[in-house]
Amino acid sequence: MLTREMLRLGLPEFYTHRVRLRQLRAEDYPALERILSDPLVIQYVNRIRKPVYARMKRLVAQIKISADSLDSLHFAVEWHRRETEESNLHDESKERTFSPLLGIVSFQQWNERTGEAQLGYILDRPFWGQGLATEVVGEMLKFGFGSLKLKRIESRCQEGNQASMRVLMKNKMRLLRTISAYDPSGEVPSVLVFSMTQGDYA
């Protein structure tokens, strides 16, 4: 089981079929700012009524603070591919190559004592609709219930975010409850809370 003290030495690195997940680094923040400056990317990330640039800056600042304190575990998502064809998969000389940041996936509000965390993810728009989010979420569930020994993982998405709903449902997360909110300046979309327990995952 990985503990907070152990993770202060660095987050682990692991792979899905197509991407590498590794610790978010200082040099990733310019690319992250670019990704989050896309209005379509950030539209479902937070609900504050501010211009996109202000929302992006606030979110990046929150990511930096929570990463430094290990209140959240943030992983950079990078593409990886083999240099050789499928027929040469067992050639030990093959190397993985990596592209710039594709997005970020996180365990937010990680509570080591209760064994709970909230899963969040953001991908750059060119990588939507390719099944990458489903792949990444599946790997994070494996890491959370395996290496971190979490008891429960939740993930939230706005009611209108059909793509994110599909990602969570494909990974067998269950709709737990709906949070309805109201803003005097207008209705705020309801938030759907999905959940999976260690028992569900097993």
Side-chain angles (χ1 to χ4, degrees):
M1 174 180 173
L2 293 176
T3 66
R4 190 179 302 272
E5 289 305 311
M6 294 167 67
L7 292 176
R8 291 192 191 283
L9 301 176
L11 301 186
E13 179 178 298
F14 36 89
Y15 299 85
T16 73
H17 178 63
R18 293 178 290 175
V19 300
R20 173 173 77 157
L21 306 182
R22 48 105 177 142
Q23 184 165 341
L24 194 67
R25 299 191 289 252
E27 56 266 31
D28 296 317
Y29 285 107
L32 185 59
E33 289 187 353
R34 177 190 58 77
I35 292 170
L36 293 173
S37 294
D38 185 330
L40 291 181
V41 171
I42 203 172
Q43 66 175 327
Y44 294 122
V45 177
N46 56 36
R47 296 181 292 168
I48 60 172
R49 295 181 179 274
K50 290 186 177 182
V52 169
Y53 181 80
R55 293 170 64 192
M56 177 273 289
K57 281 295 187 181
R58 176 175 172 174
L59 181 57
V60 170
Q62 291 172 338
I63 290 171
K64 288 180 179 179
I65 292 170
S66 62
D68 289 344
S69 64
L70 284 183
D71 288 334
S72 296
L73 306 179
H74 299 292
F75 291 85
V77 181
E78 292 180 324
W79 185 265
H80 81 74
R81 66 181 184 275
R82 298 289 191 176
E83 290 284 1
T84 56
E85 297 297 329
E86 186 72 18
S87 60
N88 296 322
L89 279 178
H90 298 293
D91 181 353
E92 294 182 358
S93 68
K94 289 186 305 304
E95 296 291 338
R96 289 187 174 98
T97 59
F98 303 93
S99 70
L101 191 72
L102 306 185
I104 181 175
V105 61
S106 312
F107 277 137
Q108 303 154 10
Q109 302 173 30
W110 174 40
N111 189 319
E112 187 178 11
R113 180 180 59 82
T114 63
E116 296 179 323
Q118 185 172 307
L119 175 61
Y121 47 91
I122 301 166
L123 289 182
D124 201 1
R125 190 157 29 131
F127 305 101
W128 291 3
Q130 301 175 37
L132 287 173
T134 301
E135 201 170 300
V136 168
V137 167
E139 191 67 21
M140 287 295 284
L141 292 173
K142 178 181 176 182
F143 169 63
F145 289 123
S147 300
L148 295 181
K149 303 301 180 186
L150 295 177
K151 297 177 182 177
R152 179 183 298 275
I153 296 173
E154 289 191 355
S155 189
R156 301 184 177 196
C157 68
Q158 290 189 26
E159 193 172 34
N161 192 349
Q162 297 293 318
S164 190
M165 289 174 59
R166 287 193 294 271
V167 167
L168 300 176
M169 293 171 68
K170 285 179 180 178
N171 278 286
K172 310 302 182 184
M173 297 192 76
R174 300 178 181 179
L175 179 60
L176 184 65
R177 64 184 184 275
T178 300
I179 301 174
S180 298
Y182 177 78
D183 188 308
S185 62
E187 290 286 348
V188 176
S190 296
V191 174
L192 306 179
V193 181
F194 287 81
S195 176
M196 178 176 282
T197 66
Q198 175 73 255
D200 294 333
Y201 185 78

